[in-house]
Amino acid sequence: MKNLTIFCDFDGTVTTQDNIIHIMKKFNPPEWESTKDNILAQNISIEEGVRKMFSLLPSSLKDEVISYVLEEAQIREGFGEFVTYTKKHNIPLYIVSGGIDFFVKPLLEPYGPFEDIYCNIADFSEDTIKIIFPFGCDETCASQGCGCCKPSIMRNLLPKDATSIVIGDSITDLEAAKLADIVIARDFLIEKCEELRLPYEKYENFHDVITIIEIQLDVNS
């Protein structure tokens, strides 16, 4: 377990659904679906797409949006046990999310504290919702538009001799997966890993994640 570090996505990984997509489906602003499709097809950057989708929503919906996502979000099975497992083994667990602070942090609060939480920030002070991206790309990042740049965060935090694990489900996790020693994937991230021939382990819940870590690193619970 020496220098093992885990970087875990939030939307669609810790939660059973992608909360941004859930918000967009509920409030259904015009053009959001084409923007989402362009993000997944990598025609536009994640940062550009997320900024555009939220700009379609008026800030006057703030309370409705927050209430909806906090009420509807479901935590994936086994997450609490997984967090306990990482603490027991003194494994740093970073939450790295392309999600937004107003739902990421409240939903994680019962399970913390974590090593750290990285996510984007919503500003409701203007006519439409503005997304701020405090964790942008470093000079090495090939994308230069990640929003919350997971590979840049990894490069900044990882010791040279560390073993890194990335857990994720979508296009926002792909660049981080390329850097990881072990990738634990589901859904769209599996498709991209197979397309690029990146080795990965499949999971459905966090009990699976614990089992994968123990098998991969030959440790006992």
Side-chain angles (χ1 to χ4, degrees):
M1 292 291 215
K2 184 179 179 182
N3 287 335
L4 175 63
T5 305
I6 299 175
F7 298 90
C8 184
D9 176 49
F10 184 77
D11 289 272
T13 300
V14 173
T15 56
T16 57
Q17 72 282 317
D18 185 305
N19 295 290
I20 292 176
I21 299 302
H22 224 51
I23 289 169
M24 293 299 150
K25 285 182 177 179
K26 169 66 176 178
F27 295 93
N28 199 28
E31 300 181 25
W32 82 265
E33 288 194 74
S34 60
T35 303
K36 178 259 295 178
D37 291 341
N38 279 323
I39 295 172
L40 293 178
Q42 298 177 276
N43 294 328
I44 60 174
S45 72
I46 296 164
E47 180 176 333
E48 180 184 352
V50 171
R51 180 184 285 116
K52 182 176 181 180
M53 284 195 291
F54 275 96
S55 74
L56 300 172
L57 294 174
S59 292
S60 59
L61 289 174
K62 175 182 177 180
D63 292 342
E64 287 182 63
V65 170
I66 293 175
S67 295
Y68 174 73
V69 69
L70 295 184
E71 288 171 6
E72 293 294 317
Q74 296 182 5
I75 302 297
R76 190 172 299 279
E77 180 186 348
F79 181 67
E81 291 90 335
F82 169 66
V83 174
T84 299
Y85 178 86
T86 61
K87 290 176 180 176
K88 174 182 175 182
H89 290 285
N90 297 313
I91 304 170
L93 172 58
Y94 293 95
I95 304 297
V96 285
S97 173
I100 318 300
D101 61 338
F102 66 80
F103 60 81
V104 173
K105 292 186 176 181
L107 290 169
L108 284 173
E109 187 175 1
Y111 302 94
F114 297 88
E115 199 73 22
D116 212 339
I117 299 171
Y118 295 85
C119 64
N120 303 315
I121 297 170
D123 179 356
F124 296 95
S125 65
E126 300 179 12
D127 290 340
T128 59
I129 301 173
K130 179 181 178 182
I131 303 300
I132 298 166
F133 302 92
F135 306 107
C137 301
D138 62 17
E139 294 179 358
T140 306
C141 180
S143 298
Q144 294 301 315
C146 294
C148 180
C149 186
K150 300 180 183 185
S152 297
I153 292 167
M154 290 174 68
R155 280 188 287 269
N156 185 53
L157 293 175
L158 278 173
K160 289 184 179 180
D161 58 346
T163 298
S164 59
I165 294 177
V166 164
I167 308 169
D169 76 306
S170 191
I171 191 69
T172 58
D173 305 301
L174 179 59
E175 295 304 316
K178 291 177 183 179
L179 294 183
D181 296 300
I182 300 170
V183 178
I184 304 178
R186 62 178 302 278
D187 203 37
F188 191 69
L189 183 58
I190 288 179
E191 294 181 31
K192 299 306 292 185
C193 285
E194 291 181 347
E195 178 185 317
L196 298 173
R197 298 184 179 180
L198 293 175
Y200 70 90
E201 298 290 334
K202 182 179 179 180
Y203 77 99
E204 290 296 332
N205 57 56
F206 280 91
H207 299 302
D208 297 337
V209 172
I210 293 171
T211 300
I212 291 165
I213 292 172
E214 291 185 343
I215 292 172
Q216 288 284 323
L217 301 174
D218 192 26
V219 298
N220 297 315
S221 60

